[in-house]
Amino acid sequence: MRSFAASALAGAGIEDAEIDADLLIGHVLGQSRGQVQAAAIMGKELSNTDASAIVALIGRREKREPLQHITGRAPFRALELNVGPGVFVPRPETEGVAQIAIDALRSMADPEPIGVDLGTGSGAIALALATEVPHARVFACENSADAFPWTSRNFAEVAADNARLVFADLADAFPELDGTVSVVVSNPPYIPADAIPRDPEVRLFDPAHALYGGQDGLDVVRLVSQTGLRLLRAGGVLIIEHGELQGADIRALLDNDGWRATATHRDLTTRDRTTTALRP
């Protein structure tokens, strides 16, 4: 079954076909990837019920339905998040964005530094901040009615006492925090309207609300800049994820808005991924 599954997925153009095959088989059997590999080496046979269930999931993945939608789970740092139709699936590169925000929160001298995640989606960044910087207070907002049930479910499951979620637009969220926040972080929609993603998993399944940021991709980034200026105290840090070709434009935008020390940082693939700035 493992060989069949990997071959079928490779034939569908899936780059990590063997990994996806192992994870789908493991999902049906309740096993880790290592256990799936060990069972295949030992020649363990599957029941007809399990084999049928695996074949059905392989068929869904062949149609390029995201692996995370099929399993209902997406790993993010130390977390396992609930995901599905209507919510953006967190990506590995965003783990690095979260690390920058975590490091910034940890560097603050405040006894209870405040972090805000604008447009939290699945809640990935906010919940990473809350669980990895437990002395911080973390606030997150999401304005998509399709995404918010997933966000709420993740906040309830992680049950971090220091994290608060609200349904609100990032442009006017958390007025009660104005001028008191230490770190504002956002992974906003930043794909230009006419730049259609190549991968079917993104193009066909990720919500447009989480992908497209207007004609130049920066409409929501502009809102994040203004909200960050409102929320952050002097010396607070703004952290924005973006596409690999947008660093210079975002630095110029932030400089024009009056931010200080704008800088763009690369991800593990050496692509520009995150721009930071300090509140004057």
Side-chain angles (χ1 to χ4, degrees):
M1 176 59 73
R2 183 169 179 262
S3 177
F4 158 77
S7 178
L9 295 182
I14 293 168
E15 187 173 339
D16 297 318
E18 194 169 285
I19 295 173
D20 282 18
D22 287 346
L23 293 174
L24 289 172
I25 293 169
H27 178 66
V28 171
L29 301 180
Q31 295 178 347
S32 68
R33 190 179 176 214
Q35 290 172 318
V36 170
Q37 293 170 329
I41 292 170
M42 295 168 63
K44 288 189 176 181
E45 294 188 4
L46 297 170
S47 69
N48 289 336
T49 300
D50 286 342
S52 295
I54 291 167
V55 169
L57 297 191
I58 294 300
R60 290 171 62 184
R61 187 70 184 101
E62 282 183 286
K63 296 175 183 176
R64 305 303 291 265
E65 183 177 351
L67 173 72
Q68 298 89 345
H69 282 200
I70 297 170
T71 64
R73 305 288 281 181
F76 188 83
R77 297 178 67 88
L79 303 170
E80 282 280 339
L81 300 170
N82 299 284
V83 295
V87 70
F88 186 76
V89 175
R91 305 299 200 262
E93 53 266 30
T94 303
E95 295 189 7
V97 180
Q99 185 65 61
I100 293 172
I102 287 165
D103 290 343
L105 260 187
R106 287 174 175 166
S107 73
M108 299 297 171
D110 317 55
E112 290 185 323
I114 299 173
V116 172
D117 181 9
L118 297 175
T120 192
S122 66
I125 294 177
L127 291 170
L129 293 179
T131 54
E132 297 186 47
V133 194
H135 67 284
R137 295 164 58 206
V138 178
F139 297 78
C141 66
E142 176 55 52
N143 72 348
S144 166
D146 294 324
F148 196 75
W150 296 103
T151 326
S152 300
R153 185 174 172 185
N154 287 323
F155 269 70
E157 187 172 290
V158 173
D161 292 338
N162 59 335
R164 177 188 168 207
L165 171 67
V166 300
F167 186 85
D169 190 277
L170 63 83
D172 49 23
F174 307 117
E176 72 278 11
L177 299 179
D178 285 359
T180 67
V181 176
S182 298
V183 174
V184 167
V185 59
S186 183
N187 177 14
Y190 53 72
I191 298 176
D194 59 356
I196 305 303
R198 180 179 65 254
D199 294 339
E201 289 87 347
V202 178
R203 186 175 68 250
L204 301 177
F205 293 96
D206 272 328
H209 183 83
L211 295 177
Y212 301 105
Q215 197 59 40
D216 64 356
L218 302 182
D219 283 0
V220 184
V221 173
R222 294 182 179 93
L223 296 176
V224 168
S225 174
Q226 293 303 314
T227 301
L229 287 170
R230 171 172 61 81
L231 290 174
L232 287 167
R233 59 169 173 75
V237 180
L238 177 70
I239 301 159
I240 302 174
E241 178 173 339
H242 53 75
E244 61 183 294
L245 302 178
Q246 295 175 316
D249 287 341
I250 290 176
R251 290 195 306 275
L253 185 162
L254 296 177
D255 288 339
N256 189 60
D257 282 351
W259 293 90
R260 293 192 297 107
T262 56
T264 298
H265 313 269
R266 293 180 175 180
D267 61 21
L268 293 178
T269 68
T270 72
R271 294 179 174 89
D272 285 352
R273 182 61 56 197
T274 314
T275 292
T276 58
L278 297 181
R279 173 72 162 87

